[in-house]
Amino acid sequence: MARSTPALASINFWTLLIPPVAGGIIGYFTNDLAITMLFRPYTPRYIGGKQLPFTPGLIPRNQERLARRIADAILGSLLTPEELQNLARRLLQVQRVKAVIYWLLETSITQIKEQSEQRSAQVLANILRDFFGGALPRLIKVWSRREDFLEPQLNQLFDQVLVELQLSDEQAEKLANWLLAVMLPPDRLRLAIIDFLTDRTINILDQELRQHTSGTYWVMANLVGVRNTLIRLREYCLNEREACNRRLNDLIQALALRQRLVEALQNISLQSLPLGTVRELRQLFRQTVRTYIQEQGFGVIEAVSQTVDWEGISLSILRRLRESASLAASLEVVSDELALVLDRYLERDLELMIERAIPILDLDRVIVDRVKATSPENLELAIQGIVRSELQAIVRLGGILGFLIGLVQAGFLYWQARP
């Protein structure tokens, strides 16, 4: 049997086993310590008033710079304007927008139904009062300065109502009775005659008849004259009030003034006027309405608004909303239309909206502040939760590499011990 050399005899099993085992242990725990030092200690450590190196850990010490790098990486490659636009398009698809609008409308109606009726009515009444008492009059006053203010509506009203307006027999009789009772009673006619027959009017009438009459009328006007007759008529109206009123009433009855007024009112119609006159009247009607609104419309609407029972109207509206079946049925149509309108608007202006929204959102500052506000413990847990298996693999790899290096060293010792 061959005898082993002294050098080879000095190499035993433990001498060859210790290097790979020690290398594996050192590699494993060295990598584990390095990974731990990324996060810990969380705060600085001091000895004798001096801060120890590598405290705090690498990530807590550079947390602000890490936050800035994370924000730059996210906004530079992940949340670019193009990606935000694509994200917005996916989120704002027509069906999603329609569902959101439908939910909002349905929620609003449900809220109105569940709220106190009196409270909801007061809120709605205040809105209506502010609108009709303040905003609407100012808007109408501004709109009335335009030349085409309500032009189609007023023209249609004039053409379809005023031009074709003709009083019925009953309406003409009532209007004629009102005129005779209020506008043309005997006492008012008597006073009108007195006011008309002034000395100056009597002299003018007398001179005109003397100068412009001929034949028998000229003889009567120049020999007899009308001056004395008109003076006596005026004195009769002044001195014999009751008798004059009776004579005027008899005259109205004798002349059948009531029937004449009825016939005249029945024959009043703008259709009998020339076309040019009708056009002028229509323009005058529109201008009159416009001027009236400019000068007095604000006060009229405001005064009417103060007299309206807005709370009663609001209660009626709310009750109608609660009982309306068509309102619930129309939610689908309304939400569909609004979604289409919003989709067309976003299709045209989405890029501009994103460009304006990015500076307003200040996403980089949000990311930086959020990372800075995260405690080192939570930051470690977050990172460990994401790459725990990868970090553990690095630790194992360190042990494997240490074991291999120790194995190479053991092989080298064995090779050196050979003769």
Side-chain angles (χ1 to χ4, degrees), residues 114-402:
E114 292 177 353
Q115 284 182 349
S116 170
E117 185 178 78
Q118 192 63 33
R119 181 182 176 186
S120 301
Q122 289 178 354
V123 173
L124 182 58
N126 292 332
I127 294 173
L128 294 176
R129 186 181 295 109
D130 292 340
F131 177 72
F132 286 98
L136 182 60
R138 286 192 291 269
L139 287 173
I140 292 178
K141 190 172 183 179
V142 172
W143 290 338
S144 63
R145 296 173 185 171
R146 299 174 52 183
E147 293 294 333
D148 58 346
F149 174 68
L150 292 179
E151 182 175 357
Q153 292 80 8
L154 292 177
N155 288 340
Q156 185 177 9
L157 175 64
F158 185 87
D159 295 338
Q160 296 183 2
V161 178
L162 297 182
V163 172
E164 299 180 359
L165 180 63
Q166 192 167 8
L167 299 179
S168 63
D169 295 342
E170 182 181 0
Q171 292 171 340
E173 289 180 3
K174 289 184 178 181
L175 184 56
N177 292 333
W178 179 81
L179 289 173
L180 291 176
V182 178
M183 302 298 296
L184 300 173
D187 191 65
R188 180 166 290 187
L189 288 176
R190 181 182 62 82
L191 294 176
I193 293 173
I194 295 172
D195 293 337
F196 176 73
L197 294 177
T198 61
D199 292 337
R200 182 174 179 274
T201 305
I202 292 173
N203 290 330
I204 292 174
L205 290 174
D206 185 64
Q207 292 176 5
E208 290 293 324
L209 288 173
R210 291 177 185 273
Q211 292 176 5
H212 297 91
T213 55
S214 59
T216 306
Y217 298 106
W218 182 88
V219 174
M220 293 295 297
N222 286 272
L223 294 180
V224 180
V226 296
R227 186 173 184 275
N228 293 331
T229 304
L230 294 176
I231 290 175
R232 290 192 187 96
L233 176 61
R234 182 178 65 183
E235 291 176 354
Y236 177 76
C237 293
L238 283 171
N239 300 327
E240 303 292 337
R241 175 180 176 182
E242 297 298 332
C244 182
N245 287 342
R246 287 195 299 270
R247 297 293 181 272
L248 290 174
N249 187 52
D250 294 340
L251 183 62
I252 291 173
Q253 296 295 331
L255 294 176
L257 187 58
R258 178 181 176 279
Q259 186 60 33
R260 293 177 184 271
L261 282 174
V262 171
E263 293 176 357
L265 291 173
Q266 288 177 341
N267 293 328
I268 292 177
S269 176
L270 296 181
Q271 294 180 355
S272 60
L273 297 177
L275 184 59
T277 305
V278 174
R279 289 176 179 173
E280 292 178 0
L281 288 175
R282 183 172 63 179
Q283 184 177 0
L284 179 61
F285 169 73
R286 189 172 64 248
Q287 184 63 33
T288 302
V289 173
R290 182 169 163 236
T291 304
Y292 179 81
I293 293 176
Q294 287 179 352
E295 296 177 355
Q296 303 181 23
F298 185 90
V300 171
I301 297 176
E302 191 176 24
V304 171
S305 175
Q306 293 175 356
T307 61
V308 173
D309 183 13
W310 293 114
E311 291 192 7
I313 293 176
S314 301
L315 284 173
S316 300
I317 293 175
L318 291 175
R319 289 167 183 170
R320 180 62 179 170
L321 285 175
R322 292 191 179 112
E323 298 171 359
S324 176
S326 60
L327 179 63
S330 63
L331 291 182
E332 185 76 20
V333 179
V334 173
S335 59
D336 192 16
E337 293 296 328
L338 289 177
L340 292 175
V341 171
L342 184 60
D343 182 65
R344 287 193 293 268
Y345 174 76
L346 292 175
E347 184 179 359
R348 184 188 64 186
D349 296 330
L350 181 60
E351 183 177 355
L352 181 61
M353 291 173 58
I354 294 297
E355 290 179 358
R356 292 179 178 178
I358 290 177
I360 297 175
L361 295 175
D362 198 10
L363 293 176
D364 55 344
R365 175 53 54 189
V366 173
I367 297 172
V368 170
D369 293 343
R370 190 69 186 92
V371 175
K372 287 172 60 178
T374 304
S375 64
E377 295 90 339
N378 292 333
L379 193 61
E380 179 184 6
L381 291 175
I383 296 176
Q384 290 279 10
I386 297 174
V387 293
R388 180 183 301 275
S389 59
E390 287 78 4
L391 294 178
Q392 193 62 35
I394 292 175
V395 173
R396 295 192 188 97
L397 180 62
I400 294 173
L401 291 177

Side-chain angles (χ1 to χ4, degrees), residues 7-8 10-12 15-20 403-419:
L8 188 58
S10 62
I11 300 298
N12 56 26
T15 303
L16 298 177
L17 181 63
I18 288 175
F403 179 81
L404 292 177
I405 292 174
L407 190 62
V408 171
Q409 185 178 6
F412 181 72
L413 292 174
Y414 180 78
W415 181 76
Q416 281 187 331
R418 293 180 61 187

Side-chain angles (χ1 to χ4, degrees), residues 75-102:
L75 295 179
S77 59
L78 298 178
L79 294 180
T80 60
E82 293 77 11
E83 289 298 326
L84 288 176
Q85 291 179 26
N86 295 332
L87 178 62
R89 287 191 178 94
R90 289 195 296 270
L91 291 175
L92 299 176
Q93 290 181 356
V94 176
Q95 294 301 322
R96 290 194 177 97
V97 174
K98 177 183 175 181
V100 171
I101 294 175
Y102 183 86

